[in-house]
Amino acid sequence: MDRKGQAGGWPAIAVALAVALFQLPLILNPGYFSHDELQWAAHATDPAFAMSVEGIWRDTQIFQYRPLTFSLWIWLSRLLFDQPFAFHAVLVAWGALNAAMLTCLLRRFGLATRPAVAAALVFAMSAFAVQTHGWIGTIGDLSWVSCALLAGLLAQRDGARWALVAGSGALTAIALLSKEAGIVIPALTALGWLMLGRRPAWAWATLGSGVVAALYLGLRLDAILFTPRTTTNYEWSAWFVPLRWAEYQLFPPMATRAGITGLLPEGFASPRVWFAGLVWLAMAWTFWRAGARWLLAFVLIGAAALGPVLILAESANQYGYGFAAAIAGLGAALWSRTDRTGRIVLVLAALLSVWHGVNVMRRMHEVGELQSRFSPAMAQAVSAADHYPVRLRALDPGQHWIYLRLSHQIHSYHGVAIGDRVQLVASDAPADYVIGKDGALTPAR
């Protein structure tokens, strides 16, 4: 794990192209996944709900101070919201670039080409990464992980001290302006120093990123911890850490579960959870057989990549994006140091994770197709209504959650004010319109 290796070159290009090919269903998604994409489109394109970019940067004491992410989101929404294929292509390309950078980083650690390429593809096709690449609301996750990977590449180059300090500090600042999760970069570079032979370059990178992170916490910690929350999923407590940590360990092999949210403690009785637990124990055993240091790395690097999300009341797929990169890379590093049995465990875990990602990708494409029909029909129904709220109910009760998200606090859609003028009711309740299984609306009888 401590050899410099080569940068990557063609393997990284091959990985980026492969990710773009494998994730064509995300690129060719004709719609969007959730309410926030529709909300930010209203902020970007409807003068009645316009959001000031200047205000986004100025208000440093709000809970989610992510000015770089939100500014980019507004700009991209103005440019691409009406061309969802292009919008999705931007995010998939960004995700493919992250996978390529992971390939380069692993090659610089001295890994052979095949394990490095395989790890990058497993990372990009995990359920954590697929949702991040397919949901416009995850720009901040793409950005901070890009910065973390670049910080690793910088540290592995053994450059001048001032360049390491300044470069890692600048990357950490960009990450923190994108999302609070960037606060984990100093912990990751510190583990790099500890696990990679205590090389000075990683220490200087840790210093640069640590200074910026400390300044950020000095300015923002009070707002992050004590600003009133509008939703319960951002409530925090140290008591949540064991459950959140377990959820991120167990979720990857659970190929038939779309989302990590609410996995524990409700899922303790589920056979899928127990199966996932056995897979995790097999992984831990494989790392332990390579040495106690490897098992420690397996536990610590994953926890460091998750960092502050472990104290939150709910987990989310995109929160595990950096975690997926770290664990995939560590598995690749273990490949040459384990026997046939260990490799079988690693391959099984990788295949389950990729299968999981494919299932999430299929579900996201399905939701996008429904949104592309539902949202215009909803706007048309509101525009034509003579009373409010317009009541909608899903013909298929199993799709209720989809339309609950797609109608939640939508300010406007293509210039038609929505807000509280729409109400989604239970599937057996009186309604003005029925939402068909294809997302289209028909008048209720």
Side-chain angles (χ1 to χ4, degrees):
M1 284 175 62
D2 57 357
R3 291 187 293 125
K4 188 173 181 179
Q6 300 298 315
W10 71 262
I13 296 172
V15 163
L17 293 175
V19 171
L21 178 64
F22 295 156
Q23 295 189 347
L24 271 176
L26 296 180
I27 296 174
L28 300 180
N29 188 341
Y32 297 100
F33 182 62
S34 193
H35 61 287
D36 47 4
E37 294 151 303
L38 310 181
Q39 291 170 345
W40 281 87
H43 290 318
T45 61
D46 191 333
F49 301 99
M51 183 172 288
S52 165
V53 173
E54 180 184 350
I56 289 173
W57 285 87
R58 186 177 57 245
D59 193 359
T60 62
Q61 294 307 303
I62 60 173
F63 171 55
Q64 290 186 332
Y65 182 67
R66 303 171 183 175
L68 193 58
T69 291
F70 294 154
S71 299
L72 182 59
W73 197 346
I74 284 180
W75 179 72
L76 287 172
S77 292
R78 286 174 183 160
L79 191 66
L80 299 176
F81 181 76
D82 290 331
Q83 293 84 40
F85 291 170
F87 211 159
H88 291 303
V90 169
L91 264 69
V92 170
W94 195 341
L97 178 61
N98 282 345
M101 286 195 288
L102 179 61
T103 306
C104 292
L105 184 58
L106 294 176
R107 292 289 291 126
R108 284 186 178 167
F109 288 157
L111 271 65
T113 298
R114 288 183 181 178
V117 167
L121 292 176
V122 170
F123 153 62
M125 293 302 295
S126 68
F128 296 123
V130 165
Q131 181 149 321
T132 304
H133 299 173
W135 183 8
I136 305 302
T138 58
I139 291 172
D141 301 278
L142 285 161
S143 181
W144 88 256
V145 170
S146 292
C147 292
L149 290 167
L150 285 169
L153 288 168
L154 182 66
Q156 199 65 11
R157 285 181 63 88
D158 285 326
R161 292 177 182 177
W162 68 267
L164 289 167
V165 173
S168 61
L171 288 168
T172 304
I174 294 170
L176 289 169
L177 291 172
S178 301
K179 193 167 185 179
E180 302 80 9
I183 201 71
V184 305
I185 291 177
L188 292 172
T189 55
L191 284 172
W193 172 80
L194 182 65
M195 302 287 181
L196 297 170
R198 303 188 180 184
R199 291 176 44 241
W202 285 90
W204 291 113
T206 302
L207 175 63
S209 60
V211 168
V212 171
L215 291 172
Y216 176 85
L217 289 175
L219 293 171
R220 294 271 302 136
L221 185 60
D222 185 70
I224 292 172
L225 294 180
F226 303 114
T227 298
R229 310 299 197 251
T230 57
T231 56
T232 58
N233 57 312
Y234 288 119
E235 297 293 336
W236 66 273
S237 169
W239 294 107
F240 293 140
V241 171
L243 281 179
R244 298 294 84 83
W245 182 85
E247 284 178 329
Y248 288 104
Q249 311 304 315
L250 297 174
F251 183 61
M254 298 180 67
T256 57
R257 185 181 176 98
I260 192 174
T261 305
L263 176 59
L264 298 177
E266 290 82 359
F268 272 130
S270 169
R272 292 185 299 179
V273 170
W274 289 98
F275 172 74
L278 290 175
V279 173
W280 186 88
L281 287 173
M283 286 281 288
W285 172 75
T286 301
F287 278 95
W288 176 77
R289 290 180 67 213
R293 180 167 170 262
W294 283 90
L295 178 59
L296 186 65
F298 178 54
V299 174
L300 289 183
I301 291 176
L306 291 166
V309 303
L310 294 174
I311 68 172
L312 295 179
E314 288 184 358
S315 298
N317 290 19
Q318 67 275 14
Y319 295 169
Y321 189 49
F323 168 80
I327 297 302
L330 197 61
L334 182 66
W335 183 261
S336 64
R337 294 167 173 82
T338 191
D339 58 11
R340 182 181 179 185
T341 302
R343 290 184 176 187
I344 290 173
V345 171
L346 291 175
V347 169
L348 174 63
L351 290 175
L352 287 169
S353 180
V354 170
W355 178 24
H356 194 176
V358 169
N359 285 337
V360 170
M361 181 161 53
R362 188 177 68 241
R363 173 56 64 90
M364 295 187 77
H365 188 92
E366 174 193 339
V367 172
E369 287 186 327
L370 295 174
Q371 184 277 323
S372 70
R373 302 185 189 99
F374 169 73
S375 294
M378 176 182 66
Q380 184 177 2
V382 170
S383 181
D386 56 8
H387 69 278
Y388 303 108
V390 176
R391 297 168 301 168
L392 310 176
R393 60 178 170 88
L395 179 64
D396 180 358
Q399 293 182 337
H400 181 87
W401 70 271
I402 297 173
Y403 301 112
L404 191 63
R405 291 168 69 106
L406 295 177
S407 61
H408 177 67
Q409 297 180 354
I410 309 301
H411 309 300
S412 69
Y413 189 81
H414 284 175
V416 177
I418 305 295
D420 59 2
R421 300 166 80 185
V422 166
Q423 180 184 9
L424 185 69
V425 299
S427 294
D428 58 353
D432 301 302
Y433 292 90
V434 175
I435 311 168
K437 293 183 177 181
D438 62 353
L441 300 187
T442 55
R445 296 179 181 178

